[in-house]
Amino acid sequence: VLLALVPYVAVTVDRHQRETLGERLLAEARAAGDVLPWDAGLEGACARLATGLGLRVTVVARDGRVLCESGRPVAGMENHGARPEVREALARGTGRDVRRSASVGVRLLYAAWRQTRGKEVRVVRVAMPLTVVGENVAHLVRSILAGLAVAVLLGLAAALAVSRGMLRRIQRLVAFARALAGGDTSVPMAAERADDLGVLEEQVGEMARSVAATITELRVSRERLEAILRSMVEGVVVSDLDGRVVLMNVRAQELLDVPPGFEVQGRPLVEFARDPAWGDVTRDLADGTPVLSRDLTIGPGDRTLQLNAVRLSAADGEVFGLVFVLHDITEIRRLEVIRRDFVANVSHELRTPLTAMKGYAETLLGPAGDDRDTARRFLAVIDRHSERLGRLIEDLLALSDLELGRTPLRLAPVEIDAAVDDVLQIFAHRFSSLRVTAEIAPGTPPVLADGDQLRQVLINLVDNAVKYTPAGGQVRVRARPSRPPERGGMVQIAVEDTGIGIPARDIPRLTERFFRVDKARSRALGGTGLGLAIVKHIVQLHGGTLAITSAVGAGTTVQVSLPVAAPSHTRVPGSHGGRP
Ligand SMILES: Nc1ncnc2c1ncn2[C@@H]1O[C@H](COP(=O)(O)OP(=O)(O)O)[C@@H](O)[C@H]1O
Ligand SMILES: [Mg+2]
């Protein structure tokens, strides 16, 4: 604005000065006219007056002839009648003009006055160079510009000083905001001064503190939720109403065979739920059923999952998602099947001897019973069947006692050779057609076991070996340390025979209850099909292992490994371990 004002001021001042000067010059012209003579001596007076006044003085006649001109002889001067100021003065009494003088070569201000004496008329003109005015104006403009420059410099310096402070504070705010956005809430921020920016600093600092507090709160509750979901046995899946996964815990990913690290969020549920029943559940929920439960079959292992589903609703009752809880019930279902099979098997096993006994008893009650020989034969059959029933019930009770833990293990160091001798004694009467040997490696340590149960194991194994080995065969009972004490000593007891052997595909099933390779043969030999199941149970209770190898026609080897009794046990013979 000031810069724009400069030419305006210059022009105005110039005009004003010229105006004032013009007035003064006119007054001077009048005064000059009064003192200048009309006839002789005019030129001299002119020159003197001009010198005295410091002006240029000219007198022009009515016809334009120059009568005198200060500083120059009039002879040869051109007619001045056409000069604007002269013409104007002749016409109106006074005249003024500014122009570059042809004679002097500078810009001059002319003022002319028409003077009359009687009939005589002349024009007295004074002039002065306008260089002074120009200088004045130029000086003024220079002063203004200089002032302006100083003002601008001062203003800039002041602005710089102020803005430097502001800029630093703003940069501090920016850095703070950036740190906050980057998750760093530890940078402090307080008002530096009590101005507007200070209020902003205060507010931003306060905001950051509350953001930090909220973030911490959220993180804590999120971590708590994650920990709960992680440690759940159940799989949990949360989806939105369109069936897109919002959340899936680790267990659910396992159950649904989702590869680890797979991004599940936002994916449609149907991608994971390969059982169409899940789709039905989702639809039913979306249609308004609040709670649903269904069994799903999933995956290559045909796992059975129980799916419980509910709708998620906000405080105002609006439904915004679905929650699915998955429970792996494969094992439960498997056990149910086993129990059903077991009950069916037991019933069947019990019915056979019972039916036979009832049949023979009825026959005996008839006329056939009168014949003594027949009666004895039939009674023998009944006796055999009742014996079998007894064995069956005996084995079943033994098994159920083992399973229910009703017979506490009385663990103590048991010398193997003694136990083997006892067992072989029991079978001595059946060995007539077999070669039976016991080979206990020297230095075989005692095992930590329940003596009665270890004998039961040996009885069942030797019984099998004897039963399934034809006459002329061989049965060997061997024992040797199989793992040194420093690696947790074990003793391996093996019962080997050269009998009929077992087909490879049946070996894994031998320890199932009632499993028999050849049912009729086993039954004929008085087997219940529970012997190896009992063996397996006892061995497991002792913390041992059972291995069966066999080749059809060549023979069978059953190996039982049991833990060695620790030295402390050996030193106190008969001390009882506390294993239930
Ligand atoms: N040493 C063996 N040689 C051949 N087959 C055997 C031998 N031991 C067990 N088996 C087979 O395993 C089945 C299950 O054995 P086990 O449980 O003792 O029942 P069982 O009452 O029939 O002896 C037997 O019926 C038999 O078919
Ligand atoms: Mg048996």
Side-chain angles (χ1 to χ4, degrees):
V1 168
L2 281 177
L3 268 180
L5 223 62
V6 169
Y8 171 78
V9 168
V11 167
T12 313
V13 168
D14 186 65
R15 184 182 304 140
H16 177 77
Q17 287 231 332
R18 252 188 284 157
E19 205 67 33
T20 334
L21 266 180
E23 291 298 324
R24 228 193 69 208
L25 275 187
L26 213 54
E28 306 258 10
R30 277 207 187 91
D34 286 343
V35 297
L36 285 176
W38 281 81
D39 30 42
L42 178 61
E43 269 197 73
C46 238
R48 272 194 309 279
L49 193 63
T51 327
L53 288 175
L55 298 170
R56 188 173 146 201
V57 181
T58 315
V59 181
V60 182
R62 186 204 289 258
D63 54 5
R65 227 173 355 102
V66 178
L67 299 176
C68 82
E69 160 80 51
S70 60
R72 269 213 289 176
V74 293
M77 279 189 70
E78 74 182 282
N79 189 302
H80 272 34
R83 298 285 198 274
E85 69 280 6
V86 177
R87 261 217 323 260
E88 206 184 322
L90 284 174
R92 280 195 247 128
T94 59
R96 232 190 287 170
D97 192 29
V98 175
R99 69 174 178 279
R100 190 162 290 280
S101 150
S103 30
V104 196
V106 291
R107 224 156 61 98
L108 292 173
L109 172 64
Y110 296 94
W113 175 58
R114 185 186 63 195
Q115 191 180 18
T116 40
R117 191 178 68 175
K119 282 212 164 156
E120 278 180 281
V121 174
R122 64 175 182 181
V123 173
V124 180
R125 184 186 81 170
V126 292
M128 67 174 288
L130 273 180
T131 42
V132 188
V133 173
E135 269 165 25
N136 279 349
V137 170
H139 181 72
L140 188 71
V141 167
R142 265 201 307 281
S143 305
I144 291 178
L145 284 180
L148 208 62
V150 170
V152 165
L153 282 179
L154 280 178
L156 278 179
L160 199 66
V162 172
S163 69
R164 278 280 277 283
M166 287 291 221
L167 195 65
R168 196 185 45 72
R169 290 170 71 186
I170 286 170
Q171 276 170 348
R172 191 166 80 108
L173 275 171
V174 169
F176 179 76
R178 202 167 282 155
L180 199 64
D184 180 7
T185 51
S186 61
V187 189
M189 171 59 76
E192 222 169 77
R193 238 179 288 158
D195 53 5
D196 285 347
L197 210 52
V199 173
L200 185 61
E201 286 164 346
E202 179 83 51
Q203 294 285 329
V204 168
E206 183 56 45
M207 205 168 74
R209 274 190 294 280
S210 75
V211 164
T214 313
I215 287 176
T216 312
E217 229 167 79
L218 286 176
R219 190 177 296 150
V220 167
S221 63
R222 194 192 161 86
E223 274 164 10
R224 197 179 302 147
L225 184 69
E226 276 176 357
I228 292 171
L229 285 174
R230 232 191 343 263
S231 52
M232 274 179 83
V233 185
E234 289 86 3
V236 177
V237 181
V238 178
S239 82
D240 59 17
L241 286 178
D242 300 329
R244 288 186 177 279
V245 175
V246 175
L247 185 152
M248 188 184 279
N249 74 348
V250 179
R251 181 64 183 142
Q253 299 200 6
E254 277 169 22
L255 290 177
L256 299 175
D257 281 327
V258 179
F262 186 80
E263 183 55 54
V264 292
Q265 209 150 359
R267 297 207 163 253
L269 255 183
V270 286
E271 255 183 53
F272 309 106
R274 276 148 296 175
D275 190 324
W278 195 332
D280 299 343
V281 168
T282 312
R283 216 170 6 263
D284 288 353
L285 284 180
D287 287 349
T289 319
V291 184
L292 269 175
S293 183
R294 191 91 36 106
D295 282 3
L296 306 177
T297 311
I298 271 182
D302 268 355
R303 239 181 327 203
T304 312
L305 301 183
Q306 190 181 47
L307 173 73
N308 290 307
V310 290
R311 303 201 294 171
L312 266 183
S313 43
D316 60 359
E318 202 202 333
V319 178
F320 65 91
L322 310 173
V323 183
F324 303 91
V325 177
L326 296 164
H327 207 111
D328 190 353
I329 52 167
T330 315
E331 190 58 22
I332 296 173
R333 289 282 182 272
R334 198 179 67 82
L335 291 177
E336 278 173 3
V337 169
I338 287 178
R339 204 185 55 210
R340 264 203 307 271
D341 288 355
F342 180 68
V343 171
N345 277 331
V346 169
S347 318
H348 185 75
E349 293 289 335
L350 292 175
R351 201 180 55 196
T352 318
L354 262 181
T355 314
M357 283 158 73
K358 188 168 167 48
Y360 283 107
E362 274 170 3
T363 317
L364 273 178
L365 288 173
D370 296 342
D371 177 38
R372 200 171 152 68
D373 283 349
T374 318
R376 281 192 71 83
R377 219 159 18 93
F378 283 10
L379 281 173
V381 175
I382 291 176
D383 183 50
R384 217 175 57 233
H385 279 297
S386 66
E387 211 170 88
R388 182 160 168 232
L389 255 184
R391 265 199 312 274
L392 205 66
I393 288 167
E394 203 80 359
D395 279 357
L396 279 173
L397 281 177
L399 206 56
S400 94
D401 281 355
L402 284 170
E403 277 185 344
L404 296 175
R406 264 205 215 122
T407 38
L409 279 188
R410 277 189 252 280
L411 289 181
V414 179
E415 296 291 349
I416 292 172
D417 42 7
V420 170
D421 279 349
D422 290 351
V423 171
L424 293 188
Q425 282 287 313
I426 300 171
F427 286 95
H429 64 283
R430 287 167 61 185
F431 290 157
S432 48
S433 59
L434 296 172
R435 247 180 328 125
V436 181
T437 51
E439 299 165 25
I440 314 297
T444 301
V447 292
L448 185 64
D450 180 315
D452 289 345
Q453 299 210 355
L454 177 60
R455 281 178 181 80
Q456 185 64 59
V457 167
L458 290 172
I459 288 172
N460 286 5
L461 296 182
V462 174
D463 175 53
N464 281 350
V466 171
K467 268 196 303 193
Y468 300 109
T469 306
Q474 192 184 0
V475 174
R476 290 200 291 176
V477 181
R478 303 204 287 181
R480 63 180 178 88
S482 62
R483 209 159 67 185
E486 59 278 10
R487 282 177 45 227
M490 290 289 246
V491 168
Q492 189 191 71
I493 305 166
V495 178
E496 292 177 26
D497 63 56
T498 55
I500 58 170
I502 305 158
R505 73 183 141 81
D506 288 333
I507 291 180
R509 300 193 58 195
L510 289 179
T511 53
E512 283 178 21
R513 297 145 183 193
F514 299 118
F515 179 81
R516 282 166 286 197
V517 176
D518 181 343
K519 254 198 169 95
R521 187 185 195 130
S522 161
R523 233 178 248 149
L525 292 168
T528 57
L530 296 172
L532 288 179
I534 292 172
V535 168
K536 185 185 167 195
H537 253 289
I538 293 177
V539 170
Q540 276 179 348
L541 285 178
H542 280 79
T545 56
L546 174 73
I548 301 172
T549 48
S550 184
V552 175
T556 306
T557 303
V558 182
Q559 294 171 340
V560 171
S561 294
L562 292 172
V564 167
S568 62
H569 285 105
T570 346
R571 256 182 267 123
V572 193
S575 74
H576 292 172
R579 201 107 58 107

